[in-house]
Amino acid sequence: MSVADTLADRYDAELQSHGVGLRDEFLEAARELESMLTPEDFEVWAERGAALASQSLRSWEAAVEFFRASPEVSRLIPFDLLVRWSESAERLSTESPLVAAAYLRATPAVVQALPADPDFDIGIQGENITQQTIIRTDLDSWAQAGERLHQGNWKSIALTVLFFDESPKIFSGLSMPQVDQLVDVLVVLAERSYQLATTCLEASGALFEELDFHDREPFLQFAAALSRSSWADTRLYFERGPELVSRIEREQRGAFLQLAARVVQSAGRQGFPHFLETASAMGDVPVNEHETMMRLAQYLARRSPVAAMAFLRSVPFVLTRITSEQLEQWVEPGARLLFDEGNIEGAEAYFKMQSTRAEGTLASLSARVELGSIHGLLRMYAKALTGSTISIRSTEELVDRGIGWVQQSMATTEGTSIFLPPFVGSFPEQPSNFQSYKVFTTHQTGRIEFGSFHYQWGVDGVYAPASVAERLPDAPQRERDAITDMERFFDLFEVRDLIASLFTVVEDTRVDAAVSREYRGITPWLHRLQSIEAERRPDARSMSLRSAFVESMLRSSLGRRDAIRWPKDLMEAMGTALGALAVVEEPNATVQDSAEVAGALYDIAVSMPNIRNPYNDEDWEEPPSDFGEQAQMPGGMGQSERELPEDSEEQEFEVPAQPEFRGDFKPELVQLLSRLRDQASGEAGEGETLSSDQVMDALSKSSEVGFPDASEGDMAASMGQFLSNLEKEAAAAAKAKQQRDQNGEESDGEGGGDEGGSSDKGPEITWTYYDEWDFRASDYRPRWCRVGERTGEEGTLDYYQDTLQKHHGLVVETRRQFELMRPETFRRIKRLEDGEEIDLDRAIEFIVDKRAGVGPLAQVYWRRNKVDRDVAVAFLMDMSASTDEEVEKPRSGDRTDGSFQGDPRNYFQWLAERRAKQISEAPKRIIDLEKESLVLIAEALEAIGDSYGIYGFSGYGRDNVEFHVIKDLAEQFGDQVRKRIDKVQPVRSTRMGPAIRHTIAKMEKYDAKAKILILVSDGRPQDHGYGRDRTEKEYAVHDTHQALLEAKRVGITPFLITVDKEGHDYLKDMCSDVGYEVVDDIEQLPRRLTSLYRVLSAE
Amino acid sequence: MAVEDFRLTSEPYYLPITDEIELFETAYANNVPVLLKGPTGCGKTRFVEYMSWRLHNHLGDKATEGVPLITVACHEDLTASDLVGRYLLEGEETRWIDGPITRAVKTGAICYLDEIVEARKDTTVLIHPLTDYRRLLPIDKRGELLEAAPGFLLVLSYNPGYQSALKDLKHSTRQRFIAIEFKYPPREQEAQIIQVESGCSTDMAEELAKLAEKVRNLREHGLAEGVSTRLLVYAGKLIANGISPRRACQVAVVWGLTDDVEVQQSIEEVVTSIFPE
Ligand SMILES: Nc1ncnc2c1ncn2[C@@H]1O[C@H](COP(=O)(O)OP(=O)(O)O)[C@@H](O)[C@H]1O
Ligand SMILES: [Mg+2]
C-alpha cells in the first residue's frame, strides 16, 4: 500500500462524509503528489485538504478543486507558496465555497500565465518582466482582488466567480497591479449594476490581449476615470475602445488616453461621447500626423484638456483646408486666447471651430477658395458679363436636386444658373484658385454671353451656310419629332454621342476663342488651365479611332495642337478637320457656325471605322505645324470610307472626358428646360405644350443624362424623377421670375445666404444661415443657425372679421389716433435769405447789426419744409409653445371667499356662472392676444400708410428656426394676410437671435428713412442647444441682446415688448441700450402696442 | 459775370447719337423749351454747348457774337433770387444785380439749368411763365415783367436716376418741355468719344467702352447709373498718359462708383478680365 493509500484511508471517514467523489479525488491527487512532496509536506497537504473540506457544509466543493489543482500547482510553485495558496482558499471559502472553488480551479492556468518571479526563477527575461514583477508569489493578492468584488450577495458571488474563471485570460494581458486597477473599476461599476460589471469583465480578457502592451495601463486609467464620472458608458468603452485606440499611432495612444481621462473627469456625461468622437477623428487622420497632433494637444491640455480634445476633434476638418505644416499656425491664435488672455471659454470655442476667429484663421491660412465666400462676387461678375441675372450655385446642389445631367459635380450652366464646384484648391496659392474660379465662371458666362444655347434650325452661320436641308434626306428616321431646334439638329446624325461631343468641342472652342478676344485680361489664366488640362488628357492611342479623333479636336481646342498624336495614314483628314475647327475661332463666328463645323467633323469622323488603334505607336505623329492655321470649311459632304484593316471590330463610341474648367455642356437640355420654363410661366406662346412623354423621349435621347447605376427599370423611374425635378426647377424659376417682375427686384440669394433645397411638400422654404453670438468666447459662431423662411399658412377670413367686430370700439379709436399722425409734419427751416415769413428775432438782430456797421447776411426768413412720413416697421411675434398658456384674468371678475358671505348658494351660483362663461368664451391665451394685436396693428397702419411687415418665429434647434411671413414689408395688405393671421399659432421654442437677424436682413433691403423692429414675446429666449445646457439662460439672453444691437448698428430701432411678468430680471441685460416694456396687464397688449408704435415712429 | 464769357470760341466735339441735333434745332427755331433727360456724364452739357456753337454758325449774321450759352449748375441752396437777381447793399445804397436767367432773357441766350431737380422747388415757379408762348420773366422785387429777347431758349437737364419722391420734377413743369432722352452711348460710339476726348488708342477706347457696358449691367447693385462717359474719358486720359489700364480703371471707374466692397470687387474682377496686366 502506498503512502497515498494509507493517507486516504486515514482521512477516509472525514472525506466520505462530504460525498463519495471526494475520496476518489483525494486519492487521485495524492497518488500524483506522493513522489513530489516530502512526507512531511505530503502530510501537511492532506491535512489542509481535509480541513478545507470540513470547513463548512458546502466547502467540499472547494476541496474537490483543491485536490484537482494540487498536482499541477505543486509542479509550478514551491510548497510554502502552496500552503499560502491553500490558506487563501480557506479564507475565500469561509465567505463562499463557490468562490473558493473558482479560485482554486483557475490557479494552474493563472500561474502558468504569470511570468516567473524573478527572485525565484532567475533567467527568465523579456519585455513583460520589468512591468510585471512579483508574480507567482502573488496568488494571495489575486485572491484578495477577488475578495474585493465579493459583497456577500448572490450577484456579487457570481461576479467574483466569473472573475476567477476569467483570470487566466486576464493575467495573460495584465500585471497584478493592473488587475487591481481593473477590479477597482469593476467595484465601482458593481455598485451601480452587476450586469454592467459582468459584461465588462467578460470583455476584459479578449480586450487586454488585443491591446498593445503599452496601452493597457492608460486604457485602465481612462476606464477608472470614466467609471467614476459616467459609469454607464464604461461598457461601450470596453466594447469599442480597443478598436478606436488601435487607429491611433502606437506611440501616441497612451498620451491620448491619459488626456481623455483628464477630460472625462471634468466633462462628466459629455466626456465619453467626446472621447468617441475624438478617437475616431484621430483615426481619420493619417497616423504620421498623430505625433504633431498629440504634441499640440498636450500643450493645450496644460491649460484646458477640453480645448485639447476639441482641437483633436477638429483636426480632420481643419486638415481639409490647410496642410499639416500649417496646423501649428492655426493653433496659435487659440493658444493665445488660452494662455495669454486666459479666455478659456473662448479658446475652447476656437478649437471646437465654433468661433469666427477660428474660421477666419483657417480661411487666411487656406489656399483653397470656397464658393460660399465668393458667391456674391461671382454672381455680380456673371451679371456684369452677361447682362442677365444669373445665380451662382454649387454643383453639390445640382447632384442633390437630381437635375445634374451627369453624376460628377462638373461646372455647368442651364442658362440662368451657373453651377460651380463648392471649392477649388488645386493650386497652392489662394489667388490662383480664385483665378480658376474666374475662368470656370467666365467660360460658363461665355456660353450665355456668346449664345451657345441659341442654335436655330436652318440659320446660316457667318462662315458656314446651313447644311440642314441637304442633310435632311439622309437623316435617320426618328419615332417622334424633335422638340427643340438643337435636338432637331442632333437628330440629323446617326450617332448621337458623336455629334453631341463634337458639337461640344467645337462650341467650347468658339466660346474660349471669344472669351480670349473679349477678355484679354483673363486669357493668360485661361491658357494656363487649358494647358494643364491638355497635359492631363488620356493617351489617344488607347482609344478607338473616332474617340481619338474627338480627343484630337479637344486638344486643338485647348490651344495645344502640338499635343495631338494622330496616325500618319489619316493625317490628311486631320488637316481638313483642324482647318474646319479653326473656323469657329474667327471673330463673329456664331453657334450656327459651330453646328456646321461639328457636322463637317462628324462627316470626317464617320469616314473612319470606329475600331481600336490598328497602328503601331511609331505610326502616330504630331500633325504638321501649319495644320489648322488656315480656317477652312471642308468642301462637300460625305467623305469616302477609308481603307483600314478589315479584321478589327467596330467599337461603341466613347465620349472623351470634358476638361474641368469647361464642365458640362448640354445645349439640347437647356433648350428643353427653357421651353418648360416658358410653359410654366405661361409664356409658351405658339406651339403646343409638351407632354411628359415627349419630354421623356427627348431626355432619353440625351444619352449622357446619367443616372447612378441605373438598370433598365430604374432608368425609367429615374428618368421620371429627373423629369419632375426638371419641371419643378422650371416652375420655381418661372415663379421667381414673376416675383422679380412684380417686385422689380432680384430675389436670388441676397444677403449672402445660401438657398437650401426646398422640400417637396408643404410651404416653400428658403434657408439662410446666421452667425450666433457666444458671449463666453466673445465671438460669433459662424453660420450657426439656419433660418427657414416660409409664407404663413392661410386660414379663413372669419377670425379677422370676428376680431374686428369684437373690438369695434378699440379699432375705431386706434384708427382715429393714427390718422391724426398722417398729415405731413412740418419742420421749420430757419436762417434763410428768402422764405415764407420773416423770423422776427433774426430780423431785429440783422437791423441792429446793420446799424452797427457790420454786414451780416440777411438771413431773416424761415420756411416750412414738408417732411413725408417714411417709416417701415417690422413686428416679430413669438410663436413659441409657451404662448399657448392661458392669460390670467384680472381679478375683477373673480370674487374672494369673503364675498360669498358664508352662503354656499352664492358660491355655487358663482361657479355655475363661471362655467357658463367659460363655455361661451374659450379662455384667452397669450397667442390670442398677440393675434388680436396684429389685427389692430394692421388696421391702424393701413390708416397711416406706413410700410410694415408682420413675422412670426419659432422652431427647434439651431438648424431649424422657423420664420413665418404673415405680411412681408413690400406686400400689399389683403385677404391673404387676414387669412394668415388666423393661422398664427404656438409652435415650438424661442430662439430669438436668428429670428431678429433675419428680420434685420429683410429690413436692410427695404428702403425707408426710419426703420423700427418691434419684438413681441411672452418670455425669455429658450431653445434646444441655446446655451450650454437646458437650464442655462445667459447664453440665449446675450445672443438676443447682441442681435438687437446689430439692429441698432444698421439704423433700425429695436424695441421689445414682453408680457413676461417675471421678465424684469433678464430683460435689463437683454435690453441694455435697447428699449423695452413689460406689459403687466397683458389684456392691454393690443392697446399698448399700438400706442407705443405711435411714440416710436414719431421721431 | 458778363454774358460774353459764355460764348464759345471753338467748336466743341460732339458725336451725335440719334436725331437729337435735328430735334433741338427745330425746337430752337420754334421757341419750344427743351428738357434733356439722362444720367450724369452722358453728354447733355456737351450737347448744349455744341448746339449753341452750331446755332451760332447757322445764324450767319451773328457770326461774331453767336448764340451765347448761360449755364447754371443747380444745387440745393439755389433760390429764385439767385436766378433772377437781387439787391446788394453798397454802403447805405442798394444796387440791383441781374441773375443768370435775367441776363439770358435780356440777351437772347440759351439758358441751361443743369440738374434742375437739385434746385429749390420755388425756382420752378419762375420757369413756368418763361415757357409760355409770351416768354415772360417776372422780377417781383423790382415789379418788372421782362419779355425774352429773340434767341432765348430755356433748356433744363434732369436726371431720372435720382428718383426719389422728394426730388422729382413736378408734373406741371414737365408738361412744358419737349424731352430729349439721353442714354449712355452704345459701345461703338462711346469708344469713339473716349478715343477723341482722351487721346488714347482706338483699341483701348474700345476696351473701356466694353468695360462700361459690363459695369452698367450691374446697375441694380447700388450703382444707380453705372459708369459715366465722363469717367471713361478720365480713365482714357490716364491711360494715354502712361498709367496702366487696370490702375486707371481702378481709380476712375471702380472706386468712384460705389462703397460696397463686394460690388467693388466684382467690378475689379471685370476690369482684370478685360485688361491684361
Ligand atoms: N455724344 C458725345 N460726344 C462727345 N463727347 C461726349 C458725348 N457724350 C459724352 N461725352 C463726353 O462725356 C463728358 C461728360 O459729358 P457731359 O455733357 O458733361 O455730361 P452731362 O452733362 O450729361 O452730365 C463730356 O465731357 C465728353 O467728354
Ligand atoms: Mg453736366
Side-chain angles (χ1 to χ4, degrees), chain A residues 173-330:
Chain A
L174 298 180
S175 67
M176 190 62 231
Q178 288 170 341
V179 170
D180 267 330
Q181 287 179 31
L182 175 63
V183 171
D184 288 343
V185 173
L186 295 173
V187 168
V188 175
L189 294 180
E191 278 169 23
R192 309 283 186 163
S193 154
Y194 277 101
Q195 173 87 47
L196 192 73
T198 307
T199 322
C200 288
L201 181 53
E202 277 167 350
S204 294
L207 179 150
F208 288 103
E209 228 161 0
E210 193 185 318
L211 274 178
D212 259 30
F213 175 70
H214 291 291
D215 303 337
R216 292 171 191 162
E217 182 98 21
F219 188 92
L220 277 165
Q221 278 169 17
F222 182 77
L226 187 62
S227 65
R228 263 170 271 137
S229 58
S230 179
W231 58 272
D233 292 320
T234 316
R235 195 182 88 183
L236 209 54
Y237 173 63
F238 272 58
E239 269 171 21
R240 296 196 42 202
E243 193 267 327
L244 283 171
V245 172
S246 74
R247 295 170 61 197
I248 296 172
E249 207 273 320
R250 197 173 283 264
E251 297 291 317
Q252 306 303 326
R253 289 178 199 158
F256 171 73
L257 284 167
Q258 273 160 10
L259 176 64
R262 282 175 69 189
V263 173
V264 90
Q265 272 157 23
S266 54
R269 301 290 300 274
Q270 284 303 303
F272 186 67
H274 281 171
F275 163 81
L276 283 183
E277 282 166 31
T278 315
S280 72
M282 283 195 77
D284 290 343
V285 178
V287 281
N288 54 356
E289 309 292 352
H290 287 191
E291 195 193 330
T292 319
M293 284 170 74
M294 276 315 296
R295 182 171 49 78
L296 291 168
Q298 280 175 316
Y299 163 62
L300 298 174
R302 278 193 252 153
R303 196 57 164 272
S304 160
V306 173
M309 289 290 273
F311 159 72
L312 291 175
R313 267 199 307 285
S314 297
V315 169
F317 170 74
V318 170
L319 286 184
T320 60
R321 306 269 303 273
I322 59 176
T323 65
S324 48
E325 290 77 41
Q326 291 172 308
L327 200 54
E328 203 154 339
Q329 278 167 279
W330 180 72

Side-chain angles (χ1 to χ4, degrees), chain A residues 998-1016:
Chain A
H998 191 65
T999 317
I1000 296 174
K1002 291 177 88 71
M1003 294 194 86
E1004 272 202 276
K1005 270 183 258 166
Y1006 197 81
D1007 187 31
K1009 265 202 220 123
K1011 297 179 185 177
I1012 303 168
L1013 190 168
I1014 298 181
L1015 174 63
V1016 184

Side-chain angles (χ1 to χ4, degrees), chain B residues 39-46 71 112 114-115 157 230:
Chain B
T40 161
C42 69
K44 300 186 294 293
T45 306
R46 177 61 62 89
T71 303
Y112 179 46
D114 202 359
E115 307 284 6
S157 86
R230 185 188 342 226

